[in-house]
Amino acid sequence: MKSFIFSTDNQRGGVMLCDIETLEDAVEYLNKRFPGVVKVEMGKDYWTTDEGFHKAELLVADG
């Protein structure tokens, strides 16, 4: 089970616990379910209406 934090343009939002596996699918679902979704987060990855999708970069130490 995954959790997604979302917010809307009227300062509402919440946490969605579900069987959706990807941020992309969660964004699609939340935009259909709630009007005015402006941000969806899954861990350090997120999507916003202004910037689109952003994936956190993994830091790998050399050595």
Side-chain angles (χ1 to χ4, degrees):
M1 185 163 290
K2 302 272 183 171
S3 64
F4 300 89
I5 300 170
F6 69 97
S7 56
T8 63
D9 57 5
N10 64 356
Q11 305 304 315
R12 296 200 169 229
V15 176
M16 177 177 72
L17 298 172
C18 61
D19 291 328
I20 295 173
E21 290 293 321
T22 67
L23 179 60
E24 292 81 1
D25 290 341
V27 168
E28 182 179 340
Y29 172 80
L30 287 166
N31 274 296
K32 289 179 184 176
R33 179 76 173 87
F34 299 102
V37 173
V38 295
K39 186 171 186 177
V40 181
E41 300 174 65
M42 182 179 84
K44 293 183 179 183
D45 298 338
Y46 65 92
W47 167 89
T48 66
T49 53
D50 293 336
E51 301 175 35
F53 290 96
H54 286 270
K55 301 281 184 176
E57 304 231 357
L58 295 175
L59 297 177
V60 178
D62 289 334

